[in-house]
Amino acid sequence: MLKFRKIPAETIRRMPRYLRAFSLLGQEGQAYISSQALAGQLHLKPPQIRKDLSYFGDFGTRGVGYPVSDTARRIREILKLDVAQKAVLIGAGRLGTAIASYPGFAMFGFDIAAIYDNSPAKIGKKLAGLTIQDIQTLSGIAEQRIRLAILAVPSESAQACATLLVDAGIRGILNLSPSWLKVPKRVKVVSIDLAMELGTLLFYL
Amino acid sequence: MLKFRKIPAETIRRMPRYLRAFSLLGQEGQAYISSQALAGQLHLKPPQIRKDLSYFGDFGTRGVGYPVSDTARRIREILKLDVAQKAVLIGAGRLGTAIASYPGFAMFGFDIAAIYDNSPAKIGKKLAGLTIQDIQTLSGIAEQRIRLAILAVPSESAQACATLLVDAGIRGILNLSPSWLKVPKRVKVVSIDLAMELGTLLFYL
DNA sequence: ATCAGCTTGTGAAAGTGAGCACAAACACAA
DNA sequence: TTGTGTTTGTGCTCACTTTCACAAGCTGAT
């Protein structure tokens, strides 16, 4: 039964990992998997997986485990990946190029629908099958119903781009620069800071 | 006074952000900054900053704040960045190329000293001033005293590369593929999973 | 139908981290 | 020297997260 208690942020973060695991198991033709077996693969504890999934309803069958394809489908719905999600990529530099062709997005039915940059040298060129467009024309994406953006620009330009994105109606930003973006509360930002992770590594060295 | 209590992992993760902030303030010529002013910049609460720094000793002066250049220097020591840290990059694909020229590393005195790949088409070519070497010759890095590796290969190859790295004496791995690496306990792994962050974003959309 | 063997879902406990509130300490003015 | 205003360092409390332990429920064999 679906609970109304608040779902922990950490649980949400793990859901894509579960989805990946269930998708892979489905491709291998496995019909069921127990929390214990899955925990072995993902290097988590079994109760954590059970509790995480239970926040969204009763996924499993006692004595049997979790039905692989059905659970994968339900997690896709939870993450809104049952419908193809379009995203816009800002920045066609080296990082943007890498992102544009990142194979990991495809598995999630994730689709980069447009690429923007501010460099005249890049505008008009092709990248991953898309024509790089002028960032000044960004407001045009409003009609395309794109709600997500991936921001792969230097940190100096990050805030300016973020403001443009918000004005263009974007609802979520994946920020790959080490800067904090000031956006309205309705817009969700997730930042990945390479140096931050590297620092962790160095300390424990 | 230096505490002997265990330092929270989350504190460690924030240290590189503090270092970046103090470095920038130093370049601007500011001599002191209070936890309140710094909290405003980093979007944290002042007590968090004070508590984080206090784990490593008494950095500040009451009534004045934190001495910018001195604190930056001490954080560099804590993160072992007072000596230039060499790292090896595995994977010269699009992501590897982006990493090789990522400007964020330079600020931290971080130095990519060698690049390896398994593709005959890439071996021998130049990337960011370095010649791409055959991954089969990876054991050669042992003499160079490189302790860190950045793993930018497809997830299928990640575990095989990680094993090679461990055998070559690497102590820390920054894993950019969405896979869990099985390594001896003495080796520290930090993974960045783009799809995981994206999933978070989608849920809150 | 009953029982043994698993596995899920979950209340409660333990562990971890964040934020408040205040004493201690410093600078500067009178 | 004393007083005012500021800022750090930290004990304590609250909130969040993980883990345990076990009842409830399913399967297949006897």
Side-chain angles (χ1 to χ4, degrees):
Chain A
M1 193 176 313
L2 189 56
K3 316 305 175 315
F4 290 97
R5 33 181 168 152
K6 197 175 142 290
I7 294 160
E10 293 300 311
T11 293
I12 303 297
R13 281 174 56 85
R14 281 187 291 269
M15 294 307 286
R17 292 179 63 187
Y18 296 147
L19 176 55
R20 191 191 338 264
F22 278 108
S23 296
L24 254 50
L25 287 165
Q27 285 172 24
E28 290 166 11
Q30 193 167 335
Y32 285 88
I33 189 164
S34 70
S35 59
Q36 186 165 20
L38 189 58
Q41 288 188 21
L42 296 177
H43 297 268
L44 301 168
K45 300 279 167 81
Q48 176 127 76
I49 295 177
R50 294 202 298 273
K51 184 153 278 210
D52 281 346
L53 293 178
S54 80
Y55 282 110
F56 301 98
D58 291 6
F59 284 65
T61 307
R62 291 164 200 240
V64 179
Y66 295 92
V68 169
S69 63
D70 196 48
T71 307
R73 187 178 48 74
R74 288 178 67 181
I75 299 178
R76 272 201 197 84
E77 284 172 21
I78 291 163
L79 293 177
K80 303 187 179 68
L81 283 168
D82 48 333
V83 293
Q85 288 287 352
K86 287 186 188 176
V88 59
L89 172 65
I90 312 296
R94 278 177 281 249
L95 187 54
T97 304
I99 294 288
S101 48
Y102 180 59
F105 291 150
M107 155 174 251
F108 285 161
F110 203 78
D111 177 35
I112 292 179
I115 303 176
Y116 289 84
D117 201 295
N118 68 345
S119 156
K122 285 173 196 149
I123 294 165
K125 292 238 171 82
K126 286 257 178 184
L127 175 53
L130 294 164
T131 303
I132 299 169
Q133 299 175 68
D134 188 341
I135 188 130
Q136 297 306 327
T137 65
L138 188 64
S139 50
I141 62 165
E143 301 136 30
Q144 290 188 60
R145 295 178 171 278
I146 299 177
R147 296 186 297 174
L148 280 178
I150 303 175
L151 196 50
V153 301
S155 38
E156 308 88 72
S157 336
Q159 180 61 63
C161 290
T163 307
L164 285 173
L165 286 167
V166 169
D167 291 345
I170 286 290
R171 295 290 305 283
I173 299 175
L174 182 65
N175 175 29
L176 297 167
S177 80
S179 50
W180 200 93
L181 304 178
K182 188 170 159 55
V183 296
K185 225 169 56 185
R186 68 171 185 283
V187 179
K188 173 90 179 168
V189 177
V190 171
S191 289
I192 295 178
D193 185 343
L194 266 184
M196 193 162 143
E197 310 298 341
L198 209 57
T200 311
L201 210 48
L202 281 166
F203 179 80
Y204 291 110
L205 208 65
Chain B
M1 190 179 316
L2 190 57
K3 315 306 175 314
F4 290 97
R5 33 180 169 152
K6 196 174 143 288
I7 295 161
E10 293 301 310
T11 294
I12 303 297
R13 281 174 57 85
R14 281 187 292 270
M15 294 308 284
R17 293 179 63 185
Y18 297 147
L19 176 54
R20 190 192 340 260
F22 278 107
S23 296
L24 253 51
L25 287 164
Q27 285 171 23
E28 290 166 11
Q30 193 166 336
Y32 285 88
I33 189 163
S34 70
S35 59
Q36 186 164 19
L38 188 59
Q41 288 188 22
L42 296 177
H43 297 268
L44 301 169
K45 301 279 166 83
Q48 175 129 79
I49 295 177
R50 295 202 298 274
K51 185 158 279 205
D52 281 344
L53 293 178
S54 81
Y55 282 111
F56 301 98
D58 291 4
F59 284 65
T61 307
R62 290 164 200 240
V64 181
Y66 295 93
V68 169
S69 62
D70 196 49
T71 306
R73 188 179 48 72
R74 289 179 66 182
I75 298 178
R76 272 200 198 84
E77 284 172 20
I78 291 164
L79 293 178
K80 303 188 178 69
L81 284 168
D82 48 333
V83 293
Q85 288 286 352
K86 287 187 187 174
V88 59
L89 172 65
I90 312 296
R94 278 177 281 248
L95 187 53
T97 304
I99 294 289
S101 48
Y102 180 59
F105 291 150
M107 152 172 254
F108 286 156
F110 202 79
D111 177 35
I112 292 178
I115 303 176
Y116 289 83
D117 201 296
N118 69 346
S119 156
K122 285 173 195 150
I123 295 166
K125 294 238 171 82
K126 285 255 180 186
L127 174 54
L130 294 164
T131 303
I132 300 168
Q133 299 176 67
D134 188 341
I135 186 127
Q136 297 306 327
T137 64
L138 188 63
S139 52
I141 61 166
E143 301 136 30
Q144 289 189 61
R145 295 177 173 277
I146 299 176
R147 295 186 298 173
L148 279 178
I150 303 174
L151 196 50
V153 302
S155 39
E156 307 88 72
S157 335
Q159 179 60 64
C161 289
T163 307
L164 285 173
L165 286 167
V166 169
D167 291 345
I170 286 292
R171 294 290 305 284
I173 299 175
L174 183 65
N175 175 29
L176 297 167
S177 79
S179 49
W180 200 93
L181 304 178
K182 187 169 159 56
V183 295
K185 226 169 55 185
R186 68 171 186 283
V187 179
K188 174 90 181 168
V189 177
V190 171
S191 289
I192 296 178
D193 185 344
L194 267 183
M196 190 162 145
E197 309 300 340
L198 211 57
T200 311
L201 210 48
L202 280 167
F203 179 80
Y204 291 110
L205 209 64

